[in-house]
Amino acid sequence: MKNNKSIIDKLTALWALNESGLGGFLHVFSTPFTGLIVGGIAILLISLIAYYAENKWQAILKALVIVLIIKMAVSPYSPFGAYVAVSFQALFGALLFSKFSWKGVTLMILGIVTFLESALQKLLILTIVYGTELWEAINIYGAWVQKKMNFVSESSTTSMLVTFYLVVYGIAGLLAGLFIRSVIKIISERKETVFYLESVEVLLTNEKPKVSFKTKVIWVWLITVAIIVLAFSLFGGNLFGWQKAIYILLRSFLILMLWYLVLGPFLLKLVRKYLSKKESQYKEDITNAMDLFPYFRQILSHTWKETSHLKGYTRFKYFMANSISNCIHFKVSSE
C-alpha cells in the first residue's frame, strides 16, 4: 500500500491522543467504562498499525515509544501501572501480529488477554495493598447476606465475585476483538478519499480541571478501609474486631506511602530516563504527532455529526471507522 508511513504516523498520533487523555475520544464517551473504551481503542489502533505496516514488530514498538514519550510529557503524573498496561498491549499485539493474520481469531485473543491483564492488575494491586483481609471481609459480608436470605453456597463470595469480574472482562475483550475486526473491514473496504481541513493554529486547549489521581486514590483507600473495618467490627464476631481493623488501616497506609513515595517514583524515574534517551531519536515524529492533535479534534467532531443519522451500536461503529479513516487520509487545504 502507498503512503503507509504517513498512515502509520497518523495512527500513532491518534494512539497518543487516546492515551494522553487530552480530549478526542474521551470527550465523546464520558462513561463509567472509559477505561475499557480507552483500552479497546488502543488495541484497535495497534491492530491498524500492524495492518498497514510491513515490519509489524518494528512499527508497533516505534509507535509505543512515541506514545509513551507524549504520555510522559502531557500526563506527567500518570501512574507506573498505566505505562505497564500500554506496553503490555503493544508488546502482546506486536507478538501476535508478527506471527498471525488479523483475519483469524488473533483480534479476539488480543482483546481477551489484554482486558484480562488489566483486570488481574487491579486485583493484584488490591491484594498487595489490603492483603488477604480484603477478601476475608468480602466473605464476611457474603456470609451475612446469605444468612439473611436463608441461602447457603459452597463457593465463597470472593471466588464468585472474582470469577464474575474476570468473566465480564474476558467477554468484553472478546467483543472488543469482534468489534475491531468489523472496524478494520469497514476501513479497508472504504473508498480512499482525501479529507481536507482548514489550517489551524497548533495549540493545546485548556481542558476541564480533573480530580487528581492521588485524590482519587485517597478516596478509594478511605472507602475500602471503611468497608473492611465495618466487616470485621460488626459482622466478624469475637475472632476479629478493632485490633485487626487497625492493623489493616496501618498496613494499607504504609504500603501506599511506600509505593507513592519510594517505589512508584523510582520506577517512573527509570521509565522516564529510558524514554528521555529515545526522545532525541524520535523528536521530529513526536512534534509531528502532537501537531496533529487539533486536526484530529476537528475530524472527530465533524464525523460525530456526520453519523447523526445512525443510531446506537451502528453509529458507534461507523463513527469509529470513519473517524480513523478521515484522520489517516486528511490533508490541510493549504497543502
Side-chain angles (χ1 to χ4, degrees):
M1 298 178 189
K2 58 181 180 179
N3 300 325
N4 276 17
K5 185 183 182 304
S6 173
I7 290 172
I8 291 170
D9 288 344
K10 288 172 180 174
L11 287 170
T12 302
L14 262 177
W15 184 13
L17 178 62
N18 179 56
E19 293 295 341
S20 65
L22 283 178
F25 295 110
L26 288 178
H27 280 301
V28 177
F29 303 108
S30 180
T31 76
F33 306 104
T34 298
L36 286 176
I37 293 171
V38 170
I41 293 170
I43 59 175
L44 165 60
L45 295 170
I46 291 167
S47 302
L48 282 166
I49 290 171
Y51 176 77
Y52 285 104
E54 289 186 12
N55 188 329
K56 303 179 190 308
W57 182 268
Q58 186 178 31
I60 292 174
L61 289 191
K62 179 186 175 181
L64 171 64
V65 173
I66 293 169
V67 168
L68 291 180
I69 291 171
I70 293 174
K71 186 178 182 69
M72 178 181 68
V74 176
S75 307
Y77 300 109
S78 293
F80 177 73
Y83 291 91
V84 173
V86 176
S87 300
F88 180 84
Q89 290 167 348
L91 292 172
F92 188 66
L95 179 64
L96 282 179
F97 292 121
S98 62
K99 303 291 183 183
F100 306 103
S101 167
W102 67 273
K103 292 183 179 179
V105 297
T106 308
L107 291 170
M108 278 72 84
I109 293 172
L110 178 63
I112 292 169
V113 173
T114 54
F115 275 48
L116 284 177
E117 183 276 335
S118 175
L120 289 169
Q121 186 184 127
K122 293 179 177 69
L123 292 175
L124 179 62
I125 291 170
L126 285 174
T127 305
I128 291 172
V129 174
Y130 302 105
T132 56
E133 286 79 10
L134 170 63
W135 311 117
E136 288 178 31
I138 292 173
N139 285 334
I140 290 169
Y141 278 118
W144 180 77
V145 171
Q146 288 182 30
K147 185 178 178 182
K148 290 292 182 182
M149 297 176 65
N150 292 320
F151 170 77
V152 178
S153 173
E154 293 181 3
S155 301
S156 67
T157 305
T158 295
S159 62
M160 288 190 291
L161 285 177
V162 169
T163 301
F164 177 74
Y165 177 69
L166 293 177
V167 167
V168 168
Y169 265 75
I171 292 172
L174 174 64
L175 295 176
L178 292 169
F179 174 77
I180 289 168
R181 189 164 66 177
S182 67
V183 169
I184 292 177
K185 189 176 180 182
I186 292 170
I187 293 173
S188 64
E189 292 177 352
R190 191 183 184 203
K191 185 180 178 181
E192 187 176 314
T193 54
V194 177
F195 186 85
Y196 284 98
L197 285 175
E198 294 297 323
S199 179
V200 296
E201 187 178 357
V202 180
L203 290 172
L204 295 178
T205 56
N206 293 326
E207 301 294 329
K208 294 180 180 179
K210 298 178 181 179
V211 179
S212 71
F213 178 77
K214 289 183 179 179
T215 302
K216 291 179 181 178
V217 169
I218 291 170
W219 276 109
V220 170
W221 173 70
L222 288 172
I223 293 169
T224 307
V225 167
I227 291 171
I228 296 172
V229 168
L230 283 173
F232 285 131
S233 302
L234 300 180
F235 308 113
N238 296 327
L239 291 175
F240 305 107
W242 284 105
Q243 287 184 338
K244 196 157 192 175
I246 291 171
Y247 162 75
I248 295 164
L249 180 69
L250 293 176
R251 181 187 186 278
S252 60
F253 178 77
L254 289 173
I255 290 175
L256 285 173
M257 289 302 100
L258 178 66
W259 176 255
Y260 285 104
L261 297 180
V262 182
L263 292 178
F266 174 72
L267 292 172
L268 279 176
K269 186 177 180 181
L270 293 179
V271 171
R272 287 168 181 162
K273 187 177 180 181
Y274 171 78
L275 293 176
S276 296
K277 289 180 181 178
K278 293 285 185 180
E279 190 168 0
S280 58
Q281 181 180 346
Y282 298 117
K283 188 173 182 180
E284 185 179 348
D285 295 293
I286 293 163
T287 302
N288 291 340
M290 295 186 74
D291 286 349
L292 291 171
F293 286 2
Y295 296 108
F296 287 166
R297 290 199 185 96
Q298 284 189 55
I299 292 170
L300 290 166
S301 178
H302 168 81
T303 310
W304 184 248
K305 294 174 183 175
E306 189 181 55
T307 56
S308 60
H309 63 287
L310 302 172
K311 301 296 179 184
Y313 171 76
T314 303
R315 183 182 188 185
F316 176 65
K317 182 171 68 174
Y318 278 92
F319 165 70
M320 293 296 299
N322 293 350
S323 291
I324 292 171
S325 181
N326 288 336
C327 283
I328 63 179
H329 295 303
F330 95 94
K331 287 186 179 180
V332 181
S333 296
S334 58
E335 291 183 3

